[in-house]
Amino acid sequence: MEVVVLEIEDPSCFWVIMKGCGPYIVDEIDYKNLNAEMNQFYDKLYKDVDEVKSLMVEEGQICVVFSEELKCWCRAVIKSVMQCTDHYQIECFLVDYAKYVFVKSKDIRVAPEAFMQIPYRAKKCRLYRTKPLTLHINFFENSAKMVPAKRWDSAATQYFQNLLKASTEMKAKLCAVEGNTFDIWLYVSIQDEKVCVNDDLVSKNFAHFEETKENTGSSEDYQENQTSLNLESLPVKIGDPALAFRPVLFQEKMPPNLETGLAVSSSLLEETCQRSSTDLNENTVSIIKAVPDLPVKENVAGHTDRLQQFLKSDPVKTPTSEDDQQSFQDVSEERKFILLSNKIEPWSVLETAPLLDDLKKELTRKKFLGPNFTESYCWPPVARGCDLVAISYQGDDPFLYIPPIITILQLESCYTALPRRNGPLALILCPGWKKAQLVFDLLKTYERCSRWLHPMLIILGQNKEEARSVNIQGCEVIVTTPYSLLRLFERHSSLFCRLCHLVLDETEVLFSDAKEQVFTILHCYKKRVNIEEREYSPQHIVAVGTHWNKHLAHLIKEFMNDPYIVITATEEASIYGNVQQVVQPCTNSERTAVLLKILDFTHSHLQKVLIFTNSVYEAEMVHKVLKSSSISSLKIHTESKFNLKYVLEQWTKKYRPGTHVVLVLTDDCVQSLGITDATCVIHFSLPSPGAFGQRLLCMSDNFCDVIKDSSVDQERAKSVVLLPEDNACHALGILRYLQHTEAEMPPGLHDFIAKMLEAEEEKKFLRPLCTYLKTFGICKNRTVCPDRHKINLQIDVPQSIPDKMIQVPQYVTILPLHIVNATNYFGRIVGGQKDQYAILAEEMNEYFKQPNNKISVKKVEKLAFYGLCEKTFFHRVQVVEISQKEEENLFFNVKIKYIDEGRTSQVQSYHLLHLPARFQCLPPQAVEFIVCRVKPIDNEIEWNPKVTSYINKKIKGKLHEAKIIQTLGNTAWVDPMVRVTRLPDLKISVNEYDVRSEILSTSLGIDNPEHKTQLHKLCRNMEVSDYAQKTESLSIKEDTAGPESASKPQNMSVPQNPTENCNSSEITSGNNPSEGVAQAKKAEDSTLRQHKCFYPEIKWFQNEETVTVKVGIANTTDCKYEFSKQKVVFSACSGDKLYLADMELYQDILTEKSTCVIKDKEAVLVLAKEEKGAWCKLLKSKNPHVSFDFEHWEDFEKKSPFPLGTKKVDYNTAVTPEFDDSEDSETESDE
């Protein structure tokens, strides 16, 4: 019969769906009908819950619960009952879906007998007669053997999971039924090959077949293989005095006469790694930089012991004639690597790891699949109280230290000598509040497996009183950030009195963003522990991260005591190993000449050089070039005539000092050769990111120890990269790594890097504008950020912001409806006398009040517009995502966006209503608002939820007056944003609060004066063709054409009345001017290539008779200006830049009475109005470089028609001072 796997715990416990015919099999249609009947039954009785509510709850009880994930009622079995403060938390197993869910006791429903007639859909299975094996090492008897186990190794479980995941078809043969468990033979099809899973696990020594009564006398197939352990001595050393108080649990058990070392027989190591962990597979390589007195044997033929390993699963054997015919391993196949400063016995299996039993049970219950490769080496030193520095690709995972930290904190006898005062035993420093929250949640989850630790998450703002109110009494673990800890330390001087364990999480980020604060904390910690009273107390520092940092060397030398260094990232190990990185820019045609120059040896030491190429052709070509230049070399690749045995013999021969051994090879040969003693690697061809680390690994024997000072002048291993400037494939990633290593870059390479970064940015041209750039004015991780950091005219043209709403001085009334974070909101711009959306909403509600108009959509289409009812209000929504899996069902979930509010949600498809075309004409009204000039404290890149929650309660659904200072696409930047309260009886308005000031008052936000400056820089690059096309007529004096002969500017504004002339294309895109923008951009590009012109910053003000325009250009030369009735054209030079302003005026002027005055830092144009009165704006079309000058707002303002909210001048007296202050602050910060 065919089966489908639902859930896997191990080969003795997994759940499947059985398909076909049989006594235990029910058709899927019957389950769907049952599900529909259950949903209808319980949904109908939701008002009479007492009729179906379970009065008794106990383990093993069959019931019905509602699954939030599946969105339906499900049959379940109660697995456990946990008592909480005011209710019982029930853990249930969904018997038809093989899922665990948690519900409250009040949500348990009685299961009627009618719903229990059909067998459970999820069948619990186990492999027939297949029992687990594990490797048992007896150090006392000096032997190792495979023995039956009660539980499956994590490696066996992972292999079983991977095998089923890779299969295309699964079938089972039912052999027996015991209780609710089915014993089966399981068969899978993988790449047209059928495999019996039971036999496969036995053949891999993961399992053995359980003997039946008839075969108990036979033992030939199940004999135990014992292997002698020939071990070399390694002195055992206790790095911490507190280790003397450790129980036997954490101390290595070995007799005095047993020596530990590295030379373990290959057969045993091969079996060990197969059993120990998923990560310790047949491609694992482990390298130890052992203590100086460790004897190391050399096996020239096979390189088995020369790698200085204590853990190697597939040692390279001495090549034979059969080996020469083998295909080389694919370099993409993962190869595990580890660099250790001291020997560590890994805890590869959770069952045997010396952690708390309850903690191991909880980890197992949570489906924890570790310890993974890195965790297996990090846990032992942490649990023993030894200092640790771990650098790994998974270095940001808190599980590297949390389980052993929880375990060591249970040893209360270690802390008896500490003073009896308030203060934590452990301190975990995280780079930001988000990571700190994650670590704290994990501690709370696993804290119940140990004695009560009272962990605290402390994130403090700049308010000193907040730190004073923190109570740390009884707290034994604090999770915080460096900045928050120092603020706390100012008010709690005894914070470090009892501190024993200090954890630095994500060290590369901590040292990058808070280096001074981290070292201040380290000095305080060192000062406290280096006193006589703390001599026998633990002194424990753990530092984990993803990248090696130069500050780690200082941390190890100054603050750690003989730390364990664990590095599982090859690239980072080369930095720790002090490998010299050399960059040689060249063209493709110059590579061979540069290579020969590098190989002009003058060294007196033995040099072993590897030259890596990317193809057989390149390898052959390089070999011929070396041969023609009288340089003796070896070569090997997949088509090489030289066999593997010969190359290894030549490479491993003993040579005299001054000899130079050169080997040309391709990446697919690296793992087969197993070379680790090269002194130099030359990258003739740029490697892929995965292959670069493998190449560096070939020099691992020559990695230096940058921590320990050595009197011997050891020559550094060298990595030379030939960087072809005409081939950028993989170059950017390599260059980022070289910059991380602080390698010396040739002067000309910086321009090359800039060009590559520019090319990478061009690839993101259709991506959204970076959120961090919009919110804070800067993106810290620009090189790896997936979003765009430049203006795209086709995307960034204002969309949902009517032109009439952002006229100078750009005051509008906004209504925030969806709060993303403290400074980022979605909402609507509320119109003045006639709010189009208010009219539309009223018409929609009237329309859908008629029952006949509520027509459910039969076929849901992506990006289409529909109606949706929420309580008594109807919204316009757009479908943005439909799950392919759910689309096959009759009712399914869809992801929608409320186009007039900006929020997204998941709804059932049948809730969507047909939306008539007349309700789709009005473009989406949701606008993204960003409050300027404020950012989170402590170099954070995301707002603390406390601030977001506070602002959400403060502003959501309330009208605010704001000044829009910039618009791009559907985003408007506002500064200030003020809540105005109107007092109609007194005919005045009062500024209730300023949103930016409210954020600052939380003490979790600070001033960001560069925000506006960065926005202006961003928008300064925004090309506008209407003035670029004028350059030629004004920049060359000999041209006689006037400004009237130039082409008229493109009108890129949104139509004044968006409801007019609506059609289907407008409904879908909502962006009418995109075609005109593209044409304008094309015309502008050709002009700007010839004339590097810039648009100057312009401010203007007016009185009843004149308009004064100030053009901000310092040290102007060659000024020209042209006045016409409806237009002013001004150009000037400053330094090597040409500035041009072509202004099509809002109303007519008198050219004969208009004048221009040139000053030191600006040019002043005084334009005489043809008709007296107020201009509501300077130009017919808006321009980001033109703004109103509020410093010259005279008494004439009382007659100004500038819109402010829904009224014009009723509350000018209240709002105007607030805006003026903002303008002043803006001017000061910009300077």
Side-chain angles (χ1 to χ4, degrees), residues 300 404 962:
V300 175

Side-chain angles (χ1 to χ4, degrees), residues 296-338:
V296 179
K297 293 183 179 180
E298 182 79 3
N299 186 333
V300 175
H303 278 237
T304 305
D305 297 323
R306 184 185 50 74
L307 295 180
Q308 300 180 6
Q309 301 176 1
F310 72 94
L311 183 64
K312 179 168 181 175
S313 61
D314 190 14
V316 180
K317 300 177 182 179
T318 304
T320 62
S321 57
E322 291 80 4
D323 295 328
D324 298 336
Q325 305 301 324
Q326 67 178 344
S327 60
F328 293 107
Q329 299 178 27
D330 186 0
V331 75
S332 63
E333 189 175 352
E334 187 178 8
R335 184 184 183 189
K336 295 299 181 183
F337 161 86
I338 187 165

Side-chain angles (χ1 to χ4, degrees), residues 168-430:
T168 56
E169 184 181 15
M170 280 181 282
K171 291 189 176 181
K173 180 181 178 181
L174 183 60
C175 300
V177 179
E178 183 178 349
N180 293 326
T181 304
F182 294 79
D183 291 295
I184 62 172
W185 288 95
L186 185 60
Y187 301 87
V188 297
S189 297
I190 301 176
Q191 297 180 353
D192 298 329
E193 181 182 358
K194 291 187 177 179
V195 178
C196 176
V197 178
N198 307 54
D199 291 337
D200 192 50
L201 289 177
V202 173
S203 67
K204 295 291 194 302
N205 280 338
F206 284 119
H208 72 101
F209 283 125
E210 184 182 40
E211 287 294 312
T212 58
K213 292 183 179 179
E214 299 80 47
N215 299 328
T216 52
S218 174
S219 61
E220 183 179 351
D221 296 334
Y222 302 97
Q223 61 181 353
E224 297 172 345
N225 298 318
Q226 298 191 14
T227 309
S228 176
L229 293 174
N230 299 318
L231 303 173
E232 297 176 349
S233 63
L234 178 67
V236 178
K237 167 180 188 183
I238 296 178
D240 196 313
L243 209 56
F245 297 99
R246 288 301 133 78
V248 180
L249 174 69
F250 297 109
Q251 297 183 11
E252 299 180 1
K253 298 179 181 179
M254 58 183 69
N257 59 348
L258 179 63
E259 299 176 317
T260 59
L262 306 177
V264 182
S265 65
S266 300
S267 60
L268 172 61
L269 287 171
E270 187 170 357
E271 288 180 321
T272 304
C273 296
Q274 289 176 355
R275 298 283 67 77
S276 60
S277 173
T278 305
D279 299 291
L280 309 182
N281 52 37
E282 58 271 6
N283 298 310
T284 302
V285 174
S286 170
I287 295 176
I288 295 182
K289 307 310 288 185
V291 292
D293 56 347
L294 175 67
V296 179
K297 293 183 179 180
E298 182 79 3
N299 186 333
V300 175
H303 278 237
T304 305
D305 297 323
R306 184 185 50 74
L307 295 180
Q308 300 180 6
Q309 301 176 1
F310 72 94
L311 183 64
K312 179 168 181 175
S313 61
D314 190 14
V316 180
K317 300 177 182 179
T318 304
T320 62
S321 57
E322 291 80 4
D323 295 328
D324 298 336
Q325 305 301 324
Q326 67 178 344
S327 60
F328 293 107
Q329 299 178 27
D330 186 0
V331 75
S332 63
E333 189 175 352
E334 187 178 8
R335 184 184 183 189
K336 295 299 181 183
F337 161 86
I338 187 165
L339 184 147
L340 303 171
S341 61
N342 298 297
K343 180 181 179 298
I344 299 175
E345 286 293 341
W347 294 352
S348 304
V349 181
L350 181 62
E351 183 182 16
T352 58
L355 301 175
L356 295 172
D357 289 339
D358 290 340
L359 178 58
K360 289 191 287 187
K361 290 178 182 178
E362 184 68 15
L363 289 170
T364 303
R365 198 180 70 84
K366 294 287 186 181
K367 305 295 189 294
F368 178 69
L369 298 178
N372 60 31
F373 184 70
T374 307
E375 290 166 354
S376 66
Y377 285 92
C378 291
W379 286 6
V382 175
R384 296 185 186 119
C386 301
D387 292 344
L388 170 76
V389 174
I391 303 297
S392 167
Y393 299 121
Q394 300 85 30
D396 55 353
D397 186 357
F399 272 101
L400 287 177
Y401 58 84
I402 283 182
I405 283 289
I406 291 177
T407 301
I408 197 174
L409 286 171
Q410 307 311 305
L411 308 177
E412 298 184 71
S413 59
C414 295
Y415 311 109
T416 54
L418 295 173
R420 296 185 177 277
R421 302 178 64 180
N422 290 329
L425 296 176
L427 172 64
I428 302 177
L429 283 183
C430 299

Side-chain angles (χ1 to χ4, degrees), residues 1048-1186:
K1048 293 185 179 181
Q1050 296 287 338
N1051 181 12
M1052 294 185 289
S1053 61
V1054 177
Q1056 293 281 339
N1057 189 354
T1059 60
E1060 296 177 2
N1061 302 322
C1062 68
N1063 51 45
S1064 58
S1065 63
E1066 293 174 344
I1067 294 171
T1068 304
S1069 64
N1071 187 8
N1072 299 331
S1074 59
E1075 184 177 354
V1077 172
Q1079 295 174 354
K1081 185 177 186 298
K1082 183 177 179 182
E1084 175 196 10
D1085 288 343
S1086 60
T1087 307
L1088 288 179
R1089 289 191 190 97
Q1090 301 175 3
H1091 307 280
K1092 295 285 185 178
C1093 61
F1094 300 88
Y1095 205 100
E1097 292 294 330
I1098 293 176
K1099 289 190 175 184
W1100 70 282
F1101 60 93
Q1102 62 177 325
N1103 57 31
E1104 193 168 353
E1105 298 180 350
T1106 63
V1107 175
T1108 303
V1109 180
K1110 298 195 295 184
V1111 184
I1113 306 176
N1115 303 321
T1116 58
T1117 59
D1118 195 20
C1119 296
K1120 301 179 180 64
Y1121 55 89
E1122 295 283 346
F1123 294 133
S1124 62
K1125 189 173 183 181
Q1126 296 180 341
K1127 188 178 299 185
V1128 174
V1129 182
F1130 176 87
S1131 68
C1133 293
S1134 178
D1136 57 348
K1137 293 182 180 179
L1138 171 64
Y1139 291 88
L1140 173 66
D1142 183 1
M1143 298 173 281
E1144 189 170 357
L1145 302 175
Y1146 176 68
Q1147 292 187 14
D1148 297 343
I1149 61 171
L1150 301 173
T1151 56
E1152 64 278 4
K1153 294 185 178 181
S1154 300
T1155 60
C1156 176
V1157 178
I1158 307 299
K1159 297 183 179 181
D1160 291 339
K1161 295 184 179 181
E1162 61 185 7
V1164 180
L1165 306 176
V1166 181
L1167 311 178
K1169 298 179 181 178
E1170 187 176 70
E1171 295 181 0
K1172 294 182 180 181
W1175 291 11
C1176 65
K1177 56 182 178 179
L1178 178 65
L1179 307 179
K1180 287 185 177 180
S1181 300
K1182 59 184 177 183
N1183 189 306
H1185 304 283
V1186 179

Side-chain angles (χ1 to χ4, degrees), residues 729-961:
C729 182
H730 302 309
L732 187 59
I734 301 298
L735 286 171
R736 286 173 184 161
Y737 171 73
L738 294 175
Q739 287 177 327
H740 169 52
T741 65
E742 299 184 355
E744 185 177 351
M745 298 287 182
L749 195 59
H750 296 287
D751 294 335
F752 176 63
I753 296 174
K755 291 179 182 178
M756 292 187 62
L757 292 174
E758 187 71 22
E760 282 293 311
E761 191 65 36
E762 291 297 327
K763 295 178 183 177
K764 309 173 186 176
F765 203 56
L766 297 179
R767 293 281 303 166
L769 194 62
C770 173
T771 302
Y772 298 108
L773 188 65
K774 293 193 298 184
T775 308
F776 307 125
I778 188 172
C779 177
K780 289 185 177 181
N781 302 316
R782 187 164 183 166
T783 55
V784 296
C785 178
D787 291 332
R788 174 170 51 93
H789 301 87
K790 286 188 174 181
I791 297 298
N792 181 348
L793 280 177
Q794 297 184 11
I795 299 176
D796 294 327
V797 171
Q799 298 171 2
S800 302
I801 308 173
D803 185 54
K804 63 182 180 181
M805 287 294 181
I806 52 175
Q807 298 169 351
V808 178
Q810 304 165 329
Y811 295 135
V812 295
T813 300
I814 66 176
L815 180 65
L817 297 171
H818 173 53
I819 312 303
V820 179
N821 56 47
T823 56
N824 195 335
Y825 330 124
F826 282 90
R828 291 190 293 107
I829 297 177
V830 180
Q833 302 295 332
K834 188 178 181 182
D835 189 345
Q836 298 290 337
Y837 176 75
I839 298 173
L840 175 69
E842 186 177 348
E843 292 177 355
M844 283 179 57
N845 283 326
E846 289 295 328
Y847 174 80
F848 284 115
K849 279 182 180 179
Q850 303 297 326
N852 296 336
N853 294 333
K854 295 181 180 179
I855 304 173
S856 297
V857 178
K858 295 182 179 179
K859 184 179 179 181
V860 178
E861 297 180 0
K862 189 176 181 179
L863 301 181
F865 293 91
Y866 301 103
L868 178 67
C869 178
E870 276 191 354
K871 296 181 180 179
T872 60
F873 195 79
F874 291 88
H875 301 268
R876 298 190 302 168
V877 299
Q878 183 182 29
V879 175
V880 295
E881 186 178 333
I882 303 176
S883 174
Q884 293 182 354
K885 294 182 179 179
E886 294 188 351
E887 196 173 4
E888 301 173 357
N889 302 327
L890 181 61
F891 302 114
F892 52 91
N893 285 335
V894 295
K895 185 178 181 181
I896 60 168
K897 180 179 180 180
Y898 295 76
I899 63 174
D900 299 313
E901 295 185 9
R903 59 190 171 102
T904 58
S905 179
Q906 292 272 355
V907 298
Q908 286 280 329
S909 58
Y910 63 83
H911 287 151
L912 299 178
L913 304 175
H914 174 70
L915 189 68
R918 61 192 177 98
F919 295 141
Q920 301 181 30
C921 291
L922 185 68
Q925 297 296 292
V927 178
E928 181 184 22
F929 300 105
I930 297 177
V931 175
C932 294
R933 295 190 302 116
V934 63
K935 64 181 179 181
I937 60 173
D938 304 342
N939 292 324
E940 295 273 9
I941 60 174
E942 294 188 36
W943 283 105
N944 191 298
K946 295 179 183 178
V947 191
T948 301
S949 176
Y950 173 74
I951 295 299
N952 180 54
K953 294 177 181 178
K954 194 85 174 176
I955 72 172
K956 185 175 180 179
K958 300 177 182 178
L959 292 175
H960 292 74
E961 310 296 337

